[in-house]
Amino acid sequence: MQPAAANDVQVTDSGTGSFDQLLEASRRDLTGYCYRMLGAASEAEDAVQETMIKAWSRQESFAGQSSLRTWLFRIAHNVCVDMLRSPQRRARPMDLGPSTRTADAALGAPLMESVFVQPIPDERVIDTSGDPAVVAEARDTIRLAFVAALQHLPPLQRSVLILCEVLRWSAAEVATLLEVTTASVNSALQRARKTMAGYEPSASMPLEDPAHKDLLAKYLRAFEAYDMAALVSLLRDDVVLSMPPFNLWLRGPDDVRAWFVGEGRVCEGGRLVPLPVNGAGGFANYHLVEPGLWEPFALQVIETDGERIIGHHNFLYPDMFEAFGLPLVIDERDAQVADER
């Protein structure tokens, strides 16, 4: 993965090198950095917007002593650090306590949105149009498990790891950005790697792999038909089901099936819209309100090893659909009336 190339363009008063255009060209890379730092799409968007405002207001102070890229990322870094002053670390339900047997499962009260790592569409943080191998590598750096693991690092170590390991900046470049010594960067990177080694995510298969696409297609058909036998056949023995904003999570096909035929039966009749999210196959899950009418219910992140589903993560935040550019309703009532005639 190559770092943003905004520093390769000269800042001018007009034309392709205009300041506005350079800021906008940096948006995706900045969003990717801020998302990995903060663990939530909404906070990343807020951080980038504040970065843009600060950069615009300070453009006269940009003296060319560092690259425009370094200058912008320094602003973004400082914004993120300010936002990370809260002691609350975003996590996944699996990080908050043990799994529950379905027989004992109860959703309980929803927790605050700030408790959980939140999803983000792939195209908002990585370039999905490049070389497939590079895209697959980039997707690994926005997977839920990786982003959640990053939250265990102090801000400096987190920033250094993202910049060096994900965006491929040199230690000297990172030292300039963070205004520390190169030795400090290398030391922080070593400590960050040691911590992250304890949070290695499961191996995954690229989304473009035909076997992966076939698995997701089978899942879509099984879920919309609410065929539990077919759906369970797609699950690995250690599959995990989670449902933020609730900290309840389940493990294993038997408990997943029991949930979907029990309290989770509200999902029956739902419609799925494919959505590449967090480097995995994802779906927008629409709840059936009445025949021919579906409304937003949950964003699903379906993690697989290529042969089986290993993670079924449901983010029950229907208010996020608009921010993801998803329709706020699926209405086929007129078509159904026409068919009946």
Side-chain angles (χ1 to χ4, degrees):
M1 286 162 286
Q2 297 300 316
N7 59 305
D8 296 331
V9 185
Q10 296 298 314
V11 179
T12 62
D13 293 330
S14 61
T16 58
S18 71
F19 194 76
D20 282 348
Q21 289 172 317
L22 289 171
L23 289 182
E24 193 57 37
S26 302
R27 182 176 293 275
R28 183 172 59 200
D29 294 300
L30 288 170
T31 303
Y33 173 78
C34 293
Y35 174 68
R36 296 178 181 98
M37 284 289 290
L38 301 170
S42 59
E43 288 192 353
E45 297 287 353
D46 289 345
V48 171
Q49 190 61 28
E50 185 173 347
T51 297
M52 296 294 189
I53 293 171
K54 288 180 180 292
W56 178 256
S57 66
R58 300 174 186 175
Q59 61 178 303
E60 297 301 328
S61 67
F62 175 63
Q65 295 177 351
S66 63
S67 71
L68 178 64
R69 178 191 65 178
T70 300
W71 185 68
L72 283 175
F73 271 79
R74 181 181 297 128
I75 296 174
H77 170 76
N78 290 333
V79 169
C80 288
V81 170
D82 286 342
M83 295 175 70
L84 286 169
R85 297 198 187 282
S86 167
Q88 172 65 51
R89 171 178 60 82
R90 286 184 180 269
R92 300 176 300 162
M94 295 76 73
D95 303 321
L96 301 178
S99 62
T100 304
R101 297 289 300 177
T102 304
D104 305 317
L107 284 180
L111 303 183
M112 294 179 62
E113 182 273 343
S114 59
V115 171
F116 298 104
V117 167
Q118 300 292 348
I120 196 167
D122 289 5
E123 69 273 6
R124 201 168 294 174
V125 288
I126 63 173
D127 181 2
T128 59
S129 63
D131 178 88
V134 175
V135 173
E137 182 182 0
R139 283 193 164 118
D140 282 342
T141 70
I142 57 170
R143 295 191 185 278
L144 291 172
F146 182 79
V147 176
L150 285 173
Q151 309 312 302
H152 290 270
L153 301 175
L156 177 62
Q157 292 182 30
R158 196 181 312 179
S159 178
V160 167
L161 186 81
I162 295 167
L163 292 168
C164 291
E165 302 270 285
V166 176
L167 300 181
R168 304 304 189 195
W169 290 40
S170 70
E173 288 177 308
V174 176
T176 298
L177 185 155
L178 299 177
E179 299 179 311
V180 299
T181 65
T182 301
S184 295
V185 168
N186 288 328
S187 176
L189 181 59
Q190 185 176 14
R191 295 196 301 273
R193 284 171 173 166
K194 184 177 181 179
T195 300
M196 291 292 284
Y199 298 97
E200 287 294 332
S202 300
S204 59
M205 181 173 285
L207 294 184
E208 294 77 11
D209 189 283
H212 189 280
K213 291 182 177 180
D214 182 59
L215 177 59
L216 291 179
K218 289 178 179 177
Y219 166 76
L220 188 154
R221 291 193 297 270
F223 189 90
E224 290 193 338
Y226 223 66
D227 183 341
M228 287 299 111
L231 193 150
V232 168
S233 72
L234 305 176
L235 307 179
R236 205 168 72 178
D237 288 345
D238 59 351
V239 64
V240 166
L241 173 73
S242 68
M243 294 162 283
F246 304 98
N247 62 359
L248 173 74
W249 65 282
L250 310 172
R251 184 189 294 277
D254 291 342
D255 280 339
V256 170
R257 178 191 178 108
W259 177 263
F260 277 125
V261 299
E263 190 167 348
R265 201 171 191 93
V266 65
C267 293
E268 187 171 6
R271 289 282 294 272
L272 299 182
V273 175
L275 175 71
V277 57
N278 283 90
F283 298 93
N285 179 14
Y286 288 81
H287 172 64
L288 180 64
V289 178
E290 62 179 80
L293 181 65
W294 294 263
E295 293 181 349
F297 182 67
L299 296 169
Q300 296 183 350
V301 180
I302 307 299
E303 297 174 333
T304 81
D305 62 4
E307 297 181 353
R308 290 288 187 273
I309 292 171
I310 60 177
H312 192 297
H313 307 295
N314 303 267
F315 293 86
L316 308 181
Y317 300 99
D319 54 313
M320 286 187 180
F321 277 52
E322 185 174 10
F324 273 61
L326 293 161
L328 298 184
V329 65
I330 297 176
D331 191 345
E332 298 178 357
R333 289 174 294 183
D334 290 342
Q336 289 194 2
V337 170
D339 289 342
E340 291 171 1
R341 291 175 180 172

